[in-house]
Amino acid sequence: MPETIRFFGTAWVGHDNGYAVRRAAVAAGSLVATVAACFVMRLAYQGVETADIGSFASLLFVAVFAVCSAVAFVRTWDGFRRRPADPAREESLRSLKAIGFIGSLVAYFVRSLTEAPGEQLHRTEYETAVAAYEKRRGSRAGNPAARRKPKARRR
């Protein structure tokens, strides 16, 4: 059974059940969420400017969110292609990805333009599992008891 993907279920396997419409909706939704997030960040920046705590703090604010967004974009993008090698490290970067949430939203939007986010990873795993199952199924033929050599009877 293929693994489900958020917003797509298992429609990614055969690109059926409204896959194209879902992909367009996910792309549009993630773009709207990105624009809304940028608006929220603008309000936060205006708050820092209004507080008049200095140009260094304003510069630091912009730099932190830019770096965190870049890291979040790269981590999210890599997460669509392969499973993390070290889940504990991914867990430790969760707060950084939360700060750079705009980068994650942009990665989700860009990926949804070509495929369901995570589809490549799931498709590779699914095809590997199907091939392994077929290999196991192909080696099992007939009655296993009939393949055993009969034991010599003692008299």
Short mmCIF file of all heavy atoms in Angstrom, two decimals, residues 6-7 17 19 23 25 39 42 49 53 55 59 66 68 72 77 83 90 95 104 143 147 155:
data_model
loop_
_atom_site.label_atom_id
_atom_site.label_comp_id
_atom_site.label_asym_id
_atom_site.label_seq_id
_atom_site.Cartn_x
_atom_site.Cartn_y
_atom_site.Cartn_z
N ARG A 6 0.27 14.47 2.18
CA ARG A 6 -0.70 15.48 2.61
C ARG A 6 -1.31 16.18 1.40
O ARG A 6 -0.61 16.58 0.48
CB ARG A 6 -0.01 16.50 3.51
CG ARG A 6 -0.98 17.55 4.05
CD ARG A 6 -0.28 18.57 4.90
NE ARG A 6 0.33 17.88 6.02
CZ ARG A 6 1.37 18.38 6.69
NH1 ARG A 6 1.92 19.49 6.34
NH2 ARG A 6 1.87 17.72 7.69
N PHE A 7 -2.62 16.34 1.41
CA PHE A 7 -3.44 16.96 0.37
C PHE A 7 -3.62 16.09 -0.87
O PHE A 7 -4.41 16.41 -1.73
CB PHE A 7 -2.91 18.33 -0.08
CG PHE A 7 -2.71 19.31 1.02
CD1 PHE A 7 -1.46 19.86 1.26
CD2 PHE A 7 -3.76 19.68 1.84
CE1 PHE A 7 -1.27 20.77 2.29
CE2 PHE A 7 -3.58 20.59 2.87
CZ PHE A 7 -2.33 21.13 3.09
N ASN A 17 -7.79 10.87 -9.73
CA ASN A 17 -8.64 11.45 -8.68
C ASN A 17 -8.37 12.94 -8.46
O ASN A 17 -8.24 13.39 -7.33
CB ASN A 17 -8.49 10.69 -7.35
CG ASN A 17 -8.96 9.26 -7.45
OD1 ASN A 17 -9.82 8.94 -8.27
ND2 ASN A 17 -8.40 8.40 -6.63
N TYR A 19 -5.69 14.78 -9.40
CA TYR A 19 -4.30 15.09 -9.03
C TYR A 19 -3.89 16.47 -9.53
O TYR A 19 -3.30 17.25 -8.78
CB TYR A 19 -3.38 14.00 -9.60
CG TYR A 19 -1.91 14.29 -9.43
CD1 TYR A 19 -1.27 14.01 -8.23
CD2 TYR A 19 -1.15 14.83 -10.46
CE1 TYR A 19 0.07 14.27 -8.06
CE2 TYR A 19 0.19 15.09 -10.30
CZ TYR A 19 0.81 14.81 -9.09
OH TYR A 19 2.14 15.07 -8.94
N ARG A 23 -2.86 19.63 -7.26
CA ARG A 23 -1.54 20.25 -7.35
C ARG A 23 -1.65 21.75 -7.58
O ARG A 23 -0.92 22.54 -6.98
CB ARG A 23 -0.72 19.60 -8.46
CG ARG A 23 0.65 19.28 -7.96
CD ARG A 23 1.54 18.64 -8.95
NE ARG A 23 1.92 19.61 -9.95
CZ ARG A 23 2.20 19.31 -11.20
NH1 ARG A 23 2.15 18.07 -11.61
NH2 ARG A 23 2.55 20.24 -12.06
N ALA A 25 -4.19 23.62 -6.68
CA ALA A 25 -4.71 24.19 -5.43
C ALA A 25 -3.61 24.30 -4.37
O ALA A 25 -3.52 25.31 -3.65
CB ALA A 25 -5.87 23.35 -4.91
N PHE A 39 3.71 39.36 4.68
CA PHE A 39 2.99 40.49 5.26
C PHE A 39 3.18 40.51 6.78
O PHE A 39 3.42 41.58 7.37
CB PHE A 39 1.50 40.41 4.89
CG PHE A 39 0.68 41.52 5.46
CD1 PHE A 39 0.80 42.82 4.97
CD2 PHE A 39 -0.21 41.29 6.49
CE1 PHE A 39 0.05 43.86 5.50
CE2 PHE A 39 -0.96 42.32 7.03
CZ PHE A 39 -0.83 43.60 6.54
N ARG A 42 6.58 41.71 7.52
CA ARG A 42 6.67 43.16 7.33
C ARG A 42 6.13 43.89 8.56
O ARG A 42 6.71 44.88 9.01
CB ARG A 42 5.90 43.57 6.09
CG ARG A 42 5.77 45.07 5.97
CD ARG A 42 5.77 45.55 4.59
NE ARG A 42 5.48 46.98 4.61
CZ ARG A 42 6.32 47.87 4.16
NH1 ARG A 42 7.47 47.49 3.66
NH2 ARG A 42 6.00 49.14 4.19
N GLU A 49 11.17 48.67 13.80
CA GLU A 49 11.51 50.04 13.39
C GLU A 49 10.83 51.07 14.28
O GLU A 49 11.42 52.08 14.64
CB GLU A 49 11.12 50.26 11.93
CG GLU A 49 12.04 49.61 10.94
CD GLU A 49 13.42 50.21 10.95
OE1 GLU A 49 13.56 51.45 10.88
OE2 GLU A 49 14.39 49.43 11.05
N ILE A 53 15.06 50.89 18.20
CA ILE A 53 16.13 50.33 19.03
C ILE A 53 17.48 50.36 18.33
O ILE A 53 18.46 49.84 18.85
CB ILE A 53 15.80 48.90 19.48
CG1 ILE A 53 15.49 48.00 18.29
CG2 ILE A 53 14.65 48.90 20.45
CD1 ILE A 53 15.22 46.57 18.64
N SER A 55 19.75 50.82 14.31
CA SER A 55 19.87 50.22 12.99
C SER A 55 20.50 48.83 13.06
O SER A 55 20.23 47.96 12.23
CB SER A 55 20.68 51.12 12.06
OG SER A 55 21.97 51.31 12.59
N LEU A 59 19.01 45.53 11.30
CA LEU A 59 19.84 44.74 10.39
C LEU A 59 19.94 43.29 10.86
O LEU A 59 19.85 42.35 10.06
CB LEU A 59 21.24 45.35 10.29
CG LEU A 59 22.22 44.65 9.36
CD1 LEU A 59 21.75 44.77 7.92
CD2 LEU A 59 23.60 45.24 9.52
N ALA A 66 16.54 36.10 7.16
CA ALA A 66 17.02 35.70 5.83
C ALA A 66 17.80 34.40 5.90
O ALA A 66 17.57 33.48 5.10
CB ALA A 66 17.88 36.81 5.23
N CYS A 68 17.69 32.09 8.34
CA CYS A 68 16.79 31.02 8.76
C CYS A 68 15.87 30.59 7.62
O CYS A 68 15.60 29.39 7.44
CB CYS A 68 15.96 31.45 9.98
SG CYS A 68 16.92 31.56 11.49
N ALA A 72 15.83 26.91 6.07
CA ALA A 72 14.55 26.20 6.03
C ALA A 72 14.20 25.77 4.61
O ALA A 72 13.68 24.67 4.41
CB ALA A 72 13.45 27.09 6.61
N TRP A 77 13.47 21.43 1.01
CA TRP A 77 13.69 20.92 -0.34
C TRP A 77 14.36 19.54 -0.30
O TRP A 77 13.97 18.63 -1.02
CB TRP A 77 14.55 21.91 -1.13
CG TRP A 77 14.63 21.59 -2.57
CD1 TRP A 77 15.60 20.89 -3.21
CD2 TRP A 77 13.68 21.93 -3.58
NE1 TRP A 77 15.33 20.79 -4.53
CE2 TRP A 77 14.16 21.42 -4.79
CE3 TRP A 77 12.48 22.64 -3.56
CZ2 TRP A 77 13.48 21.59 -5.99
CZ3 TRP A 77 11.81 22.81 -4.75
CH2 TRP A 77 12.30 22.29 -5.95
N ARG A 83 15.03 10.87 2.75
CA ARG A 83 14.80 10.84 4.19
C ARG A 83 16.05 11.38 4.89
O ARG A 83 17.16 11.18 4.42
CB ARG A 83 14.55 9.41 4.67
CG ARG A 83 13.34 8.76 4.05
CD ARG A 83 12.11 9.08 4.81
NE ARG A 83 10.97 8.41 4.17
CZ ARG A 83 9.76 8.81 4.28
NH1 ARG A 83 9.48 9.88 5.00
NH2 ARG A 83 8.78 8.18 3.68
N GLU A 90 17.67 16.69 12.44
CA GLU A 90 16.49 17.35 11.87
C GLU A 90 15.60 17.90 12.98
O GLU A 90 15.06 18.98 12.86
CB GLU A 90 15.67 16.37 11.03
CG GLU A 90 15.97 16.27 9.58
CD GLU A 90 16.19 17.56 8.84
OE1 GLU A 90 15.26 18.37 8.70
OE2 GLU A 90 17.31 17.76 8.37
N SER A 95 13.31 24.38 15.33
CA SER A 95 13.07 25.78 15.71
C SER A 95 13.62 26.73 14.66
O SER A 95 13.00 27.76 14.38
CB SER A 95 13.68 26.07 17.08
OG SER A 95 15.07 25.82 17.05
N SER A 104 10.38 27.62 4.02
CA SER A 104 9.67 26.34 3.87
C SER A 104 8.46 26.48 2.96
O SER A 104 8.19 25.61 2.13
CB SER A 104 9.23 25.82 5.23
OG SER A 104 10.34 25.44 6.00
N ASN A 143 3.46 -25.73 -4.32
CA ASN A 143 3.35 -26.23 -2.96
C ASN A 143 4.74 -26.38 -2.38
O ASN A 143 5.54 -27.16 -2.89
CB ASN A 143 2.62 -27.58 -2.98
CG ASN A 143 2.39 -28.13 -1.59
OD1 ASN A 143 2.83 -27.54 -0.60
ND2 ASN A 143 1.71 -29.25 -1.52
N ARG A 147 8.33 -29.48 -2.84
CA ARG A 147 9.70 -29.20 -3.24
C ARG A 147 10.71 -29.92 -2.36
O ARG A 147 11.85 -30.10 -2.73
CB ARG A 147 9.98 -27.71 -3.20
CG ARG A 147 9.43 -26.99 -4.39
CD ARG A 147 9.88 -25.56 -4.37
NE ARG A 147 8.83 -24.81 -3.68
CZ ARG A 147 9.02 -23.70 -3.03
NH1 ARG A 147 10.21 -23.18 -2.95
NH2 ARG A 147 8.02 -23.07 -2.45
N ARG A 155 13.17 -49.22 7.66
CA ARG A 155 12.36 -50.42 7.94
C ARG A 155 12.94 -51.25 8.99
O ARG A 155 13.97 -51.39 9.37
CB ARG A 155 12.18 -51.24 6.69
CG ARG A 155 11.31 -50.49 5.74
CD ARG A 155 10.95 -51.42 4.66
NE ARG A 155 10.07 -50.68 3.78
CZ ARG A 155 9.19 -51.22 3.07
NH1 ARG A 155 9.02 -52.48 3.06
NH2 ARG A 155 8.45 -50.50 2.31
#
